[in-house]
Each structure stands twice: as C-alpha cells, then as structure tokens.
Amino acid sequence: HEHLRFVLDKVTHVAAHRYQKWFQAAFLQGQSAFEGRIADLIRKTAAAKTRVLHAMYFDFLHYSPDIPVLQLEPAMMLLLKATKNRNHGMVQDIMTFLVARVDGAPDVAAKVAAAISALIKLGMMRNLLPLVDYLGEFHPALGKQSQAALPLHFTPQDVDMASNWTEQSFLDDTHPSTPSPDRSHPLKTRADVAALAFPESLQVFREPMLALQLVQSDVDKVIPALSHVFVLWSDLANAVAVSLELGSLVYKCLERSFLTTTSVPQFVLDQCLQRPPHLHLPLLHGMYKQDSVLSSRLLAHCCVHNNLTPYIAFCDMVGLPDAPAAILQDIGLCVHVDQACALACSLLQVPYAGNVAVATTCLGVVPYLLEHAPLACMPRLDALIRSLVSVAPPVVVAKLSMRLLLSEFSIFKDQTATVLLSSLHWNSWEQWGVWELLSAEWQAKHHDKATVAALRKVLACLDPQTHGEALSGILRLLLQICPDMALLQCVLKLSDAFDPFPSSVLAIWSDKWLSSVQPLVVGLLHDTKDAAVDVRRQLSKLPANALLLQEPYVRAALLAESIPGQLSGSASCSETAIDEPVMKKPKVDG
C-alpha cells in the first residue's frame, strides 16, 4: 500500500509511464493472472468510472467454468475490503454497476452468481453476508435491488458476521488466491479449544488451557492464567518431553491474543526465555510449527533485549543453520505480522495497535544488528539495508533519519560505495529510501570524504536515463559541499547524456564557493588537453550571466585557448581580463 501511495503522491504526470512499468515489474511480474496485461494508473473521473468497473468485473459478467478464478479474485477482494473499511462510495459504485448490468438480463445474472459461487468454493470467502448486512444498514434500497438481482448470494440470513470472513483472503495481496501456509486456519474460539484433542502427555493441561481460553478477551486475566501454565510445565518431571506438543497447544489456544495484542506475545517469549534452553527451545519450536512468523517475533524480542543468542539457538533447532539468511527473511516477515494483526482486529472488532512489528523491526532490530550483531550472524550490509528500506514506510524512514542525525548508530559503515552501487539494481521505492538515509548519515558525519569518494564511483557507473533516483540523490548531496579537484573533474567529464546535471552543479558551486572553484577551473583550463576540453564544454552550457564566466582569470584562460564564441562579453572585458596578473597554477590532484 505504501508503494502505491508513493506512486500516486510523489510521481508527477510526466513520469507516470516509467513508474507504471516499475510497479508492473515489481509487483505483477510472473503472475499468471497478469500475463500479457499492463498496469495503469487511472485518475478517477465520472467518465472513466463505468469503463473501469466494466474492465474490473468483465470476467464476472462473462463467466464460464474455463475462466481461472485468479482473474475473479482481485475485483471481489476490492469489494470486500471496501465493505470492511466502510468505503461507502466505492461499495455503492460497484454494487450499482453490477445491479444495473444483471437487471433484466437473467443470463448475465446467472454468470455473476456462478462466478461468486466459484470464489466461495475455492475458499476465498464463506459467503457475502457481511456485504449483505452492510447494504442493509447503509444502503437498504441498493440491498433490496441486489437481493432481487442475485437472490442466491444477497438474501439476508441470521449468521454471525465475523464468521463469514476468512483471514487468508487479505493476508497476501500479491498472491490473493493462495492461502497463507502459516495462517490458513481460522481464529480459534472457545468451542474449538474444548474440542481439541489433548494427548495423554498433556492431559494435566486440559483445565488450565480451558480456563485460559475463557479469559482470552481480557489481557489482565490472560497473563496470570499463562503464568500458571508455565509454572505447571516447569514443574513437570517430563517437561522436556512434552515441550514440543505443549508449544503447539499453547499457540492454538492463544492465536487470537497473539494477533490482537502486543503484551501477550511479549509475555510468552519472556516466560519462555526465562527457562533454560533445553526447555524453551522445543516449546518455541512447537509454536513455530503452528505459525512460522514466530521466528520474526523472536528476532525482535531478542534484539530489543540485547541478546541474540536465543534466536541463533532457535534457528539451529528448527533447521535454519544460515543465520544471516534467516535474519533477512524474518525482517521481511514483519509486514505479514502486521497485516495479520490488522485483519484479526478488524474481524473481531477490537482496537488495532498499528504497525508495531514493522516499527519494532526498523527502529529496533536493524539498528541493533548494525551495532551489535556477531560477524557470523550479520547479513551482507547491502542486503540488510535493502530489507530495511523495502519494509519501512515513510514515517519510519523519517524517524531513522532523525536518529542518524543524532549519531545514535551508523548504517553505511565503511561500505557506502558497495551499498550505493548495489542499490542501482533495486526498485524505485528502495532507492528513494537508501538516499534519504544516506543524506542524514552524511550530515551527521560532517560531509566525510569517504562518502564523497563513494559518490564519485556511483556517478561513474550509473545510467542517467535509468537511475533517476540515484542521480537526484547525488545532486542533492553535491550541492552541500565545496568541491576539490577530484570531484570537480568527475562532474566536468560527464557526457552530454547527463545534461543539465554537470552545468547545474557547477553553477551552484560557483555561486556558493566561487573563490575555491575559480582557481580549480583556471588550473584545468591550463592543464592537459582532455581536461581543458571538458571544462570548456561545461562552461559553454552555463548562462551568460553566471558568476564563474564573469571572473577575469577564467575569461583570460578561455581567451588564451582561442575558443571563439565561448564568451558573450565585450572587447573591453577581454582587455581587462588580459591585464590582470597571472595566477599561480594550482596543483592538480593525482
């Protein structure tokens, strides 16, 4: 969602086509449902609305069994999410369109009903009763029209609304038809727990678990009940033997609390890690078997508490010996944790705490890893930074930038050039994030020369027609420093494909640091042939009133080279320039 907001809010109309291609490649590439199709950004207007709706629901109106259900699901997802989010205008537009198309056309109505039935059969949703109830409450007239047009799916029934939604429908927007392997099971209820089969080894936990389920909606009561379970477990003679099964059972009973609260998962991990590894590792493994994002929660917990050892031991336990790869994977999972929590809170009508997992990962986990992770567990720095900027929303990037300005930690270390060169292959969103962070860290480092050297390397490697984000980032940084000879030469020798980048940088440098830039330019004009040609080429692109062109020494050096047409000044200016004393030629680096 943040990526789409970035495209809609920050991309100008003239650049829209390029960013549409980027969005297509980043999020729609390789999906069979989108093969041969092009993503487009549609500015909503009254004239376009009907055409857009017809394009979206075309496969519903012309449904046949040979149409893949994948082609139906995105449009239905939009309708269901609009219903859940109380987007009144969108729901009304979609339903009005569908009713108008099927009204008086029984063959079309039959096809739409068959398409909805196919989605229900696939398991995307149980029925449309939440939508029916919504229409009855907010648009009763439209609800009656929908019932008359599609009675099979729009007839009101007395069913608990929350039970009609399946969690898997909203977890993965990029692959909506594939149930999440980690969360394909629905949220457990009291009846579910009572019906759970307790192995003989766990019979002692039956009553505590049922009592735990009874108070699950009250966090203040859940934690004492959990404490009783953990104490009972620790006191068992066969505690190690039952840990794996107990971990699985605990998660099944607490899934609702894991998804709708932040205190319960933290308390469970605290209690586990207070026990010795031979006890807590199999228990965590049992929970991990129920939900593999537990590893992401554990990583965050260990980093926040400044102790990565339990996480490393856990990775070995569950068969993830490559700790750096596991860390990168778990950083990416924080987004899925927040999505699942948001969905569960919406279904159960409880307050949502916000994107806690993403914020904790970006503001706690990654800074800790950068400063304290053992080398054996540390991912490649460029891969770690990419994982960070790929999940961090703009508000988190801003907070990271502020902390970098305060020198709380460092991101780029001594690998700035490596990270920036690698970022040339990242998507636009990730490149934007990395340049934001570099700008803040560079300010904190007081414009260190190592970063300037890295910028020169990147400038020599990028393609000005492709890497607009990098070029913009370099431009913003170069305008903040007074150039030395190496940096000036790097900018001046850029090809005409970079225009007007070199001349714009040179103009600002001349305005800010004329006394420093002027002798460097004069020295290059008197230097080797290639350097002089580059200088004259860039000077010719400056405005006639540029301060650098008004400098007598620069004019004298240009006239000495006998380059006709380079200056628009008068003869008197030329004579004045020639009468000036000859400057000492500055030493050229390298």
Side-chain angles (χ1 to χ4, degrees):
H1 302 297
E2 295 292 348
H3 300 82
L4 187 56
R5 289 196 190 100
F6 170 76
V7 174
L8 295 175
D9 295 343
K10 295 185 178 293
V11 176
T12 60
H13 180 71
V14 294
H17 180 67
R18 175 178 172 236
Y19 279 87
Q20 286 171 209
K21 291 172 63 178
W22 160 70
F23 194 86
Q24 173 96 11
F27 302 105
L28 305 179
Q29 197 71 25
Q31 299 185 40
S32 59
F34 298 102
E35 287 181 0
R37 304 184 184 186
I38 299 175
D40 196 6
L41 299 179
I42 301 171
R43 314 295 178 182
K44 186 175 180 181
T45 64
K49 182 166 56 177
T50 301
R51 293 195 296 272
V52 171
L53 289 172
H54 188 270
M56 291 177 59
Y57 289 91
F58 180 87
D59 290 322
F60 283 79
L61 302 175
H62 302 274
Y63 178 74
S64 62
D66 59 334
I67 292 180
V69 180
L70 282 174
Q71 296 178 202
L72 303 172
E73 191 165 9
M76 183 56 71
M77 286 275 290
L78 176 65
L79 177 57
L80 294 180
K81 283 196 172 184
T83 302
K84 179 169 68 76
N85 295 333
R86 296 298 188 262
N87 189 332
H88 302 296
M90 182 172 291
V91 175
Q92 186 173 10
D93 288 344
I94 294 174
M95 290 309 304
T96 301
F97 168 81
L98 289 176
V99 168
R101 288 296 180 273
V102 302
D103 188 27
D107 55 333
V108 177
K111 291 178 180 179
V112 173
I116 296 173
S117 297
L119 289 170
I120 294 174
K121 182 178 180 181
L122 181 68
M124 175 201 161
M125 57 194 181
R126 295 182 182 177
N127 48 52
L128 291 180
L129 290 181
L131 175 58
V132 174
D133 293 343
Y134 169 87
L135 292 174
E137 180 179 357
F138 295 100
H139 304 287
L142 184 57
K144 292 180 180 179
Q145 294 174 1
S146 302
Q147 181 181 351
L150 298 166
L152 178 61
H153 298 294
F154 284 87
T155 301
Q157 298 179 23
D158 186 16
V159 178
D160 180 15
M161 180 175 178
S163 66
N164 300 323
W165 300 85
T166 57
E167 185 176 359
Q168 69 194 54
S169 304
F170 305 104
L171 278 181
D172 194 344
D173 289 340
T174 58
H175 302 282
S177 65
T178 305
S180 167
D182 304 325
R183 299 191 178 278
S184 58
H185 46 281
L187 298 176
K188 300 297 184 289
T189 65
R190 175 183 175 183
D192 293 327
V193 176
L196 284 176
F198 283 78
E200 185 63 31
S201 58
L202 297 181
Q203 287 298 320
V204 66
F205 294 100
R206 176 181 289 275
E207 291 304 320
M209 286 296 182
L210 293 178
L212 178 62
Q213 185 63 27
L214 287 174
V215 299
Q216 190 169 176
S217 59
D218 188 344
V219 175
D220 293 333
K221 295 180 180 179
V222 168
I223 290 179
L226 264 175
S227 297
H228 176 62
V229 171
F230 279 111
V231 170
L232 182 61
W233 164 55
S234 300
D235 292 341
L236 288 178
N238 62 339
V240 176
V242 303
S243 293
L244 184 66
E245 291 180 316
L246 180 61
S248 177
L249 182 63
V250 166
Y251 187 84
K252 288 178 182 178
C253 293
L254 291 177
E255 183 177 15
R256 170 174 172 165
S257 296
F258 261 74
L259 293 174
T260 57
T261 70
T262 57
S263 56
V264 170
Q266 292 174 4
F267 180 79
V268 170
L269 292 175
D270 274 333
Q271 290 293 310
C272 286
L273 298 183
Q274 287 176 15
R275 273 71 180 176
H278 69 277
L279 278 180
H280 75 242
L281 287 176
L283 186 82
L284 292 173
H285 191 188
M287 299 173 67
Y288 175 79
K289 285 187 173 183
Q290 295 299 314
D291 187 354
S292 63
V293 301
L294 181 77
S295 58
S296 181
R297 294 182 184 273
L298 180 61
L299 174 64
H301 187 275
C302 290
C303 291
V304 169
H305 290 81
N306 301 321
N307 182 13
L308 203 58
T309 303
Y311 175 80
I312 298 171
F314 172 79
C315 289
D316 290 335
M317 163 69 72
V318 300
L320 299 172
D322 188 354
I327 287 173
L328 291 177
Q329 177 178 319
D330 286 332
I331 289 174
L333 282 176
C334 67
V335 175
H336 298 284
V337 173
D338 281 337
Q339 288 176 346
C341 292
L343 172 65
C345 290
S346 175
L347 296 180
L348 298 171
Q349 300 296 307
V350 297
Y352 175 50
N355 295 330
V356 175
V358 168
T360 302
T361 298
C362 296
L363 301 176
V365 173
V366 174
Y368 173 82
L369 294 173
L370 289 168
E371 296 297 317
H372 305 292
L375 289 178
C377 301
M378 185 66 177
R380 282 174 51 94
L381 187 60
D382 56 338
L384 180 62
I385 294 176
R386 185 177 190 181
S387 296
L388 170 65
V389 296
S390 66
V391 301
V395 65
V396 172
V397 173
K399 289 182 180 179
L400 285 169
S401 299
M402 298 169 198
R403 292 177 60 185
L404 288 170
L405 289 171
L406 294 172
S407 300
E408 291 186 10
F409 60 93
S410 172
I411 288 183
F412 295 89
K413 310 296 183 183
D414 57 350
Q415 301 183 42
T416 304
T418 301
V419 174
L420 293 181
L421 290 173
S422 178
S423 73
L424 296 179
H425 304 286
W426 302 354
N427 65 43
S428 182
W429 174 267
E430 294 163 349
Q431 290 190 57
W432 174 83
V434 82
W435 285 102
E436 287 291 313
L437 297 177
L438 177 64
S439 177
E441 183 166 316
W442 195 42
Q443 292 286 349
K445 291 181 177 179
H446 306 290
H447 303 161
D448 65 303
K449 293 184 178 180
T451 301
V452 177
L455 295 180
R456 295 204 310 266
K457 291 181 180 179
V458 177
L459 198 55
C461 296
L462 63 81
D463 179 353
Q465 305 303 321
T466 303
H467 304 121
E469 297 82 5
L471 198 62
S472 176
I474 294 174
L475 176 65
R476 182 171 51 171
L477 298 183
L478 291 187
L479 298 184
Q480 302 177 35
I481 58 170
C482 178
D484 57 12
M485 181 61 79
L487 182 57
L488 180 64
Q489 285 183 298
C490 177
V491 172
L492 293 178
K493 70 181 181 181
L494 292 174
S495 68
D496 293 340
F498 283 83
D499 287 345
F501 178 88
S503 55
S504 63
V505 173
L506 184 59
I508 298 301
W509 280 346
S510 301
D511 289 343
K512 287 186 174 182
W513 299 286
L514 181 61
S515 60
S516 299
V517 173
Q518 180 245 24
L520 297 178
V521 171
V522 172
L524 289 174
L525 285 171
H526 289 295
D527 207 307
T528 61
K529 181 178 180 181
D530 290 341
V533 169
D534 289 334
V535 176
R536 292 195 301 271
R537 178 167 56 88
Q538 301 300 349
L539 289 176
S540 69
K541 300 172 186 177
L542 292 177
N545 61 349
L547 292 179
L548 189 60
L549 294 181
Q550 308 306 318
E551 279 294 301
Y553 293 116
V554 175
R555 297 174 65 85
L558 287 171
L559 289 173
E561 296 291 335
S562 300
I563 305 297
Q566 290 291 332
L567 297 175
S568 58
S570 62
S572 61
C573 292
S574 300
E575 293 171 0
T576 303
I578 295 173
D579 291 339
E580 294 286 344
V582 178
M583 288 187 61
K584 183 179 179 181
K585 177 181 174 183
K587 182 179 179 180
V588 180
D589 294 344

